[in-house]
Amino acid sequence: MRFSNTLLLLILCFLVITWTVRSVPPQLPVQCDQTGCTVSNTYGVWPDRTNCKAAKVAYPTTEEELIKAVAYASEHNLKVKTVTKFSSTIAKLACPSGSDAMLISTSKYNSVIEIEPERLTIKADSGVSLRELIDKVEAAGFSIRMSPYWEGVSIGGLISTGSHGSSWSGRGGSVHDHVVGINLVVPATSSEGYAKVVSIEEGRDDELLNAVKVSLGVLGVISKVKLSIEKAIKRSITNTAVYRYDHRSPDDVSGNGVNDFIGFQSNAILISKGVRALEKALETSKSENGKCKTADATLAYKKLTGKGLKNNGLFFTGYPVIGTQGKLQSSGSCLYSSSFRIDLSCSWDPRYNGLSFYETTAIFPVSRFRDFFLDVKKLRDLKPERFCGIDIYNGILIRFIKGSKAYLGQTEDSVVIDFNYYRADDALTPRLIQDVMEEMEQMAFVKDGAKPHWGKNRKVQKYGPNFDKFLEVKNKLDPKMMFSSEWSDEILFGRESSKYDGCALEGNCVCSEDRHCSPSKGYFCRQGLVYTQARVCRFSSAQV
């Protein structure tokens, strides 16, 4: 298949990234019928592609109702998982153990947002969305110092998974390090009513707080979160060919800039399907050249549109883009419903067979990042076109987070990389650059000591020096392991599942035999090209 004419690609990418009207909201993650409930993530498929079942779901609206839900599960010895309105996680953190388990959704637990101006804090129900929280704080003349770039998260969900922005200053780039208090609902004895609220405050309960603020949902159900805030601030953003300069701006500098990141904008459903069809065709034909031309077109239009930054709230006219913290720190316009544009959605909405991808995030100690960076350059230089697949998405995004006291957080100042890449429609179809992504992952997590992002990565075990302290709190708050599951046990305790044919193709194992790849399609288990201790699935036309 030839892809010599890039005009069609340019037009296609232009259509993909220029829709800015609001669209059909994502589907709810929990669907129930007379046989029980199924929980999914926003992408509609878990890493191992199995369904997550539960017997029932509770929708508390107050802390009292939340206590009753946990008490019911505790009294009846049910396994429990918390699921948010958005379920924006790749990892199976919301999947309970067994089909007789119970789900507790925080989607309707979002009515309380209380600002304490004199203490510079805000307290919110755990189901409050990030956008609701930002807007409330900004309206009162304050700002939340740090948040992730994607606003389709709840406050309870984002701190549980260690979500972050980028900063080494102040409390740093991780949102959980701005947490100063948490209410956690945990199982209790029968004399205590089978459930109770544990109120945790910074400076008084630091050992508990350090465990709970990045807990993966295995300690209990977060009820309320208290964050530090500050007086309202402005930001100034400038992108160069390589760097994004993101600074505080003086308050008296004018600007009404908005961040409406193009990857989070509404897309025409037909266009999303078309882009997916194009990428599948490039994968099937093994056209690295076609991927590179698609990447070139995508990057050109991202540059033209400022990646979705808008100087006046409507259009991008050039750098710098100056605006309030609340309008520039997070985005996600495809989340919001419209009564008349049912032809638009988030590009990855599984109901419409649009984009399907994985996201890998690795968190490196500063001292270890240079080695990884140099190894990736060596791998790229062997055949640069093999990296075009990640440029179709966002390339390799580099951010910075400060050392954290959270037991499952990073213990020292760190560099964070993110990269997205194509995911096939079924578990046994290899990717075109299968071995490149696998070698990069093993460089990061095995060779160079990186830790995973708990909400994004596939199966990666990485405990850290404070893991035993976390387990002490786990045993204290959840002695019956009510909030544990097979997936969390594999991640936290290293209980590796058995290997099977094709298990390496989607990161459910590291290959040690050819059958863990796809020999019938020409993919065999081989050593890495730069990191030779890596074991990756590589295509070999000579052996097909």
Side-chain angles (χ1 to χ4, degrees):
M1 184 179 295
R2 290 176 174 265
F3 296 92
S4 58
N5 189 341
T6 62
L7 179 60
L8 180 59
L9 296 177
L10 289 167
I11 294 172
L12 191 59
C13 290
F14 176 78
L15 288 170
V16 169
I17 63 178
T18 52
W19 290 104
T20 58
V21 295
R22 295 181 176 183
S23 63
V24 175
Q27 65 181 349
L28 297 176
V30 180
Q31 304 290 329
C32 298
D33 57 26
Q34 63 273 18
T35 65
C37 300
T38 301
V39 60
S40 63
N41 60 15
T42 190
Y43 308 105
V45 59
W46 297 108
D48 60 2
R49 295 186 185 266
T50 60
N51 292 327
C52 290
K53 299 287 189 178
K56 60 184 66 180
V57 58
Y59 290 94
T61 60
T62 64
E63 188 167 77
E64 291 72 24
E65 292 179 1
L66 178 57
I67 295 169
K68 288 180 181 179
V70 175
Y72 177 88
S74 178
E75 182 179 6
H76 293 85
N77 295 311
L78 300 177
K79 288 283 191 177
V80 176
K81 280 297 178 183
T82 308
V83 59
T84 68
K85 175 182 178 180
F86 304 100
S87 195
S88 295
T89 173
I90 292 174
K92 296 178 71 173
L93 300 178
C95 289
S97 294
S99 58
D100 60 342
M102 179 176 174
L103 299 171
I104 297 178
S105 172
T106 60
S107 62
K108 298 180 181 179
Y109 184 36
N110 58 358
S111 60
V112 176
I113 303 176
E114 298 172 343
I115 296 175
E116 297 180 301
E118 68 283 356
R119 296 184 178 182
L120 290 178
T121 61
I122 183 168
K123 189 174 185 179
D125 293 342
S126 66
V128 169
S129 73
L130 177 57
R131 175 47 56 190
E132 290 172 324
L133 198 70
I134 289 172
D135 288 348
K136 183 79 170 184
V137 170
E138 293 282 329
F142 299 94
S143 291
I144 297 172
R145 183 71 180 91
M146 195 52 57
S147 69
Y149 295 168
W150 167 242
E151 64 186 47
V153 289
S154 67
I155 183 61
L158 74 91
I159 66 165
S160 294
T161 55
S163 296
H164 59 86
S166 181
S167 179
W168 276 341
S169 66
R171 286 179 174 255
S174 297
V175 182
H176 58 261
D177 288 323
H178 297 255
V179 172
V180 296
I182 291 176
N183 281 11
L184 185 74
V185 180
V186 300
T189 63
S190 58
S191 62
E192 296 173 301
Y194 292 102
K196 62 184 178 181
V197 177
V198 179
S199 181
I200 304 167
E201 293 286 338
E202 185 178 67
R204 186 191 69 193
D205 313 293
D206 286 345
E207 290 186 2
L208 284 176
L209 187 63
N210 291 338
V212 172
K213 61 186 179 180
V214 182
S215 63
L216 313 185
V218 302
L219 302 183
V221 183
I222 293 175
S223 174
K224 296 184 184 292
V225 178
K226 185 186 289 186
L227 287 169
S228 63
I229 58 176
E230 55 187 271
K231 294 291 185 181
I233 59 176
K234 281 190 169 182
R235 290 167 69 173
S236 174
I237 297 176
T238 300
N239 280 322
T240 66
V242 178
Y243 300 105
R244 165 171 159 159
Y245 296 95
D246 190 342
H247 303 294
R248 281 198 180 196
S249 179
D251 293 340
D252 58 353
V253 175
S254 63
N256 191 34
V258 171
N259 178 13
D260 187 16
F261 176 61
I262 56 178
F264 302 154
Q265 289 178 14
S266 302
N267 291 315
I269 291 169
L270 289 177
I271 298 300
S272 296
K273 291 166 75 75
V275 171
R276 176 65 175 176
L278 172 63
E279 195 169 13
K280 286 171 67 175
L282 296 173
E283 287 277 329
T284 301
S285 64
K286 292 184 169 48
S287 176
E288 293 176 348
N289 182 52
K291 288 240 178 185
C292 289
K293 290 181 176 180
T294 304
D296 288 344
T298 302
L299 292 171
Y301 276 101
K302 283 182 177 179
K303 183 176 180 180
L304 181 67
T305 60
K307 295 185 178 181
L309 291 168
K310 301 172 183 179
N311 301 76
N312 55 7
L314 296 174
F315 305 105
F316 174 69
T317 58
Y319 295 111
V321 177
I322 299 172
T324 62
Q325 169 79 343
K327 291 183 178 180
L328 290 177
Q329 66 189 119
S330 293
S331 64
S333 59
C334 72
L335 286 167
Y336 308 110
S337 61
S338 167
S339 60
F340 59 93
R341 292 308 303 267
I342 61 172
D343 59 323
L344 306 173
S345 73
C346 295
S347 61
W348 57 85
D349 193 314
R351 293 170 293 183
Y352 309 116
N353 300 317
L355 303 187
S356 180
F357 53 85
Y358 263 125
E359 182 170 4
T360 292
T361 299
I363 305 172
F364 297 85
V366 174
S367 60
R368 304 290 295 274
F369 179 68
R370 183 176 184 273
D371 289 342
F372 173 79
F373 179 79
L374 293 176
D375 281 344
V376 171
K377 286 185 66 177
K378 291 177 185 176
L379 186 61
R380 179 207 61 186
D381 290 345
L382 292 175
K383 197 174 183 183
E385 58 268 30
R386 304 206 71 202
F387 277 74
C388 290
I390 58 176
D391 282 339
I392 292 174
Y393 294 90
N394 296 309
I396 299 177
L397 175 66
I398 301 176
R399 291 182 284 177
F400 308 93
I401 52 178
K402 198 170 184 178
S404 174
K405 294 180 180 179
Y407 293 154
L408 294 186
Q410 69 290 346
T411 57
E412 56 186 289
D413 290 356
S414 301
V415 180
V416 185
I417 67 156
D418 299 82
F419 54 94
N420 293 11
Y421 45 96
Y422 174 87
R423 186 180 189 186
D425 289 343
D426 66 86
L428 297 180
T429 298
R431 298 186 304 277
L432 175 58
I433 52 169
Q434 181 86 27
D435 60 313
V436 174
M437 299 297 100
E438 290 178 355
E439 186 166 352
M440 286 176 63
E441 287 182 329
Q442 292 177 50
M443 281 177 181
F445 298 118
V446 180
K447 176 179 176 292
D448 294 317
K451 292 181 65 176
H453 185 301
W454 299 111
K456 294 180 181 178
N457 289 70
R458 304 181 293 179
K459 287 184 181 177
V460 179
Q461 291 92 16
K462 209 71 178 179
Y463 315 124
N466 293 317
F467 183 63
D468 287 343
K469 294 179 181 178
F470 180 83
L471 288 186
E472 287 179 16
V473 176
K474 165 72 172 170
N475 292 332
K476 177 180 178 181
L477 297 179
D478 183 27
K480 296 191 297 182
M481 308 292 280
M482 199 169 96
F483 291 94
S484 294
S485 66
E486 287 90 350
W487 183 269
S488 64
D489 286 350
E490 286 181 33
I491 297 299
L492 291 174
F493 300 105
R495 296 174 183 170
E496 186 174 355
S497 56
S498 59
K499 294 184 178 182
Y500 52 88
D501 291 356
C503 61
L505 296 179
E506 294 204 307
N508 291 310
C509 74
V510 173
C511 72
S512 54
E513 304 175 43
D514 287 341
R515 70 182 184 89
H516 301 147
C517 300
S518 183
S520 65
K521 296 180 180 178
Y523 287 77
F524 301 87
C525 188
R526 297 291 183 262
Q527 70 179 32
L529 297 174
V530 173
Y531 176 43
T532 56
Q533 290 179 273
R535 292 298 177 265
V536 301
C537 296
R538 182 175 298 118
F539 177 73
S540 174
S541 58
Q543 294 181 268
V544 176

